[in-house]
Amino acid sequence: MSLKLTRIPQAGYEQVVTCEDPETGLRAIIAVHDTTLGPALGGMRMWPYASWDDALFDVLRLARGMTYKSAVAETGLGGGKSVILGNPKTQKSEKLFLAMGRFIDSLGGAYITAEDVGSSVDDMVIVRRATRHVTGLPHAAGSSGDPSPWTALGCFRGIVACLEEAFGSAEVRGRTVAIQGCGHVGKYLAQHLAQAGATLLLADVAPERVQDVARATGGTIVDPSEILFQRCDVLAPCALGAVFNDETLPRLKTRIVAGAANNVLLREEHGARLKAMDVLYAPDYIINAGGIINVSIEIEAGGYNEARSRAKVENIYNALKRVFAISKSHNISSNEASNRLAEEILARGRAKRLKPSAAER
Ligand code: NAD
């Protein structure tokens, strides 16, 4: 029954703990990056990592990313992440996720989990039996449900902010938007854009998905290998990471890059390259924060409230406007500007925490 927990001191991180449980085969790491603004929320990734070192590298990078994302989205949450070393196709079991739940519980609420790559809502239901520090449960359980429509709504509002910034008009009607990936987020984003009068170019490696979305929105299907290079006003990557790199950048014919996919820049310097090309880039973790904003409402006192979620997700428009203002005034790329904004918000949070309250004075 007992989990073997080992703390790994890690500069810049509040807690990094590994867990081994020979009885269930669980091998996992939780990284709590920063809880200045609230408990650290981040998904539980299950992946066949080649080594503990690979898993550690990934969990540290992802946990830090969650801190920045939540800070700018004003979710009242900090950043963390967990990884399970294992193959999600062959190594899932009830006892594995119960052990993972006990591991999460041992941190006393400093880390709150959710589904992620390799884990599902069903897995979270099992984890919930061992800890209450879990979100993203099915709607019926009083939870916030599928995050994708919220991520798509945030992207849509983000695209509106980008249009205003790039063209001086927030009008969507008449604009051409190319969407790479018609999955959970892409299909809802396409609906918002079509309703607002945009012309859509659509691609997906799964033909039935792109056909469904094209039928529902009147969009034109484009070959997946060509979607990034379409002449358009907005290119919305909603599939994979690292799509903007040395090979793709010279071939872009868009004025704006704004979509849901995570880590779309291969390296940070590709953000500066986009700026030099006069392509306005909406930093991924700002524009795709709708899902985490929705989950954060679930954790608030009083429980989940859809109207409140909508208002906060729509605020992604303002977050992007702030980022673009910093980018312009300091002549830096928008991805650098968003990191600066996140660090400023965290610094303010730390200063507030250090300030004695009236009761303590
Ligand atoms: P998804 O798997 O449902 O959809 C991705 C789609 O992209 C699939 O239909 C897939 O077939 C397609 N695809 C894959 N490779 C492609 C290619 N080369 N060209 C064209 N299409 C391709 O995933 P999702 O939930 O819609 O998420 C999309 C992206 O947004 C991911 O990067 C994800 O990490 C990110 N994201 C999603 C959410 C959310 O709420 N779902 C939140 C934040 C970020």
Side-chain angles (χ1 to χ4, degrees):
M1 276 302 275
S2 69
L3 306 173
K4 183 177 170 237
L5 305 184
T6 310
R7 282 184 185 277
I8 319 179
Q10 196 75 39
Y13 288 75
E14 290 181 14
Q15 300 190 55
V16 180
V17 188
T18 65
C19 173
E20 284 176 273
D21 182 32
E23 197 185 315
T24 60
L26 178 67
R27 297 191 305 149
I29 311 176
I30 297 177
V32 175
H33 175 250
D34 193 298
T35 58
T36 303
L37 303 173
L41 189 134
M44 176 193 297
R45 184 162 291 196
M46 184 166 182
W47 193 253
Y49 294 104
S51 66
W52 278 102
D53 278 351
D54 284 3
L56 182 64
F57 178 82
D58 209 28
V59 78
L60 293 178
R61 178 181 69 91
L62 294 166
R64 185 167 174 272
M66 290 308 296
T67 300
Y68 279 34
K69 182 171 186 162
S70 262
V72 179
E74 297 177 13
T75 59
L77 294 166
K81 200 87 184 180
S82 62
V83 292
I84 297 177
L85 291 81
N87 188 332
K89 293 201 179 96
T90 55
Q91 287 176 282
K92 282 189 180 184
S93 70
E94 185 181 31
K95 57 185 189 170
L96 184 96
F97 284 108
L98 285 173
M100 187 64 188
R102 295 207 309 279
F103 178 28
I104 291 164
D105 209 57
S106 74
L107 269 66
Y111 169 68
I112 302 171
T113 200
E115 61 185 295
D116 196 77
V117 176
S119 67
S120 67
V121 172
D122 291 344
D123 301 331
M124 293 308 123
V125 171
I126 302 172
V127 171
R128 177 68 181 87
R129 283 159 50 197
T131 181
R132 62 190 174 87
H133 305 300
V134 51
T135 59
L137 297 164
H139 239 326
S143 176
S144 54
D146 179 8
S148 307
W150 297 98
T151 305
L153 174 64
C155 274
F156 175 67
R157 292 296 298 154
I159 287 173
V160 170
C162 289
L163 289 173
E164 199 169 69
E165 184 73 18
F167 298 115
S169 160
E171 184 60 77
V172 176
R173 188 164 301 280
R175 294 289 173 198
T176 300
V177 183
I179 303 181
Q180 182 192 41
C182 297
H184 288 96
V185 180
K187 79 170 173 207
Y188 291 111
L189 177 61
Q191 282 166 16
H192 284 296
L193 288 163
Q195 271 162 20
T199 300
L200 299 181
L201 304 173
L202 306 164
D204 199 297
V205 288
E208 67 290 353
R209 276 187 214 155
V210 70
Q211 280 157 14
D212 282 354
V213 177
R215 229 181 328 237
T217 62
T220 303
I221 298 176
V222 173
D223 191 284
S225 64
E226 287 301 320
I227 190 71
L228 294 176
F229 314 120
Q230 297 300 302
R231 188 164 298 287
C232 56
D233 298 303
V234 182
L235 175 58
C238 296
L240 312 164
V243 285
F244 300 109
N245 53 49
D246 293 348
E247 278 72 48
T248 57
L249 286 191
R251 298 182 61 198
L252 299 184
K253 295 192 202 77
T254 184
R255 174 72 179 87
I256 294 168
V257 166
N262 278 311
N263 304 319
V264 289
L265 303 178
L266 177 63
R267 292 189 300 276
E268 287 287 300
E269 76 190 46
H270 291 111
R273 294 260 301 277
L274 283 172
K275 181 174 185 304
M277 290 162 60
D278 202 26
V279 173
L280 183 67
Y281 167 60
D284 45 12
Y285 68 81
I286 311 264
I287 193 167
N288 73 16
I292 189 142
I293 291 172
N294 190 49
V295 161
S296 74
I297 304 292
E298 177 185 335
I299 298 166
E300 285 183 356
Y304 183 64
N305 175 321
E306 189 171 323
R308 194 169 144 65
S309 184
R310 182 171 300 278
K312 275 195 95 165
V313 171
E314 295 206 343
N315 201 35
I316 286 176
Y317 169 93
N318 291 316
L320 276 176
K321 288 292 208 172
R322 283 170 81 185
V323 167
F324 295 144
I326 296 170
S327 166
K328 265 200 297 217
S329 66
H330 295 272
N331 194 23
I332 54 177
S333 64
S334 52
N335 45 311
E336 201 182 335
S338 61
N339 291 344
R340 209 177 268 197
L341 176 60
E343 276 155 18
E344 275 169 25
I345 292 169
L346 284 164
R348 272 202 302 277
R350 286 190 195 106
K352 220 158 129 187
R353 219 160 60 163
L354 290 174
K355 217 162 87 186
S357 68
E360 290 164 333
R361 279 198 289 267

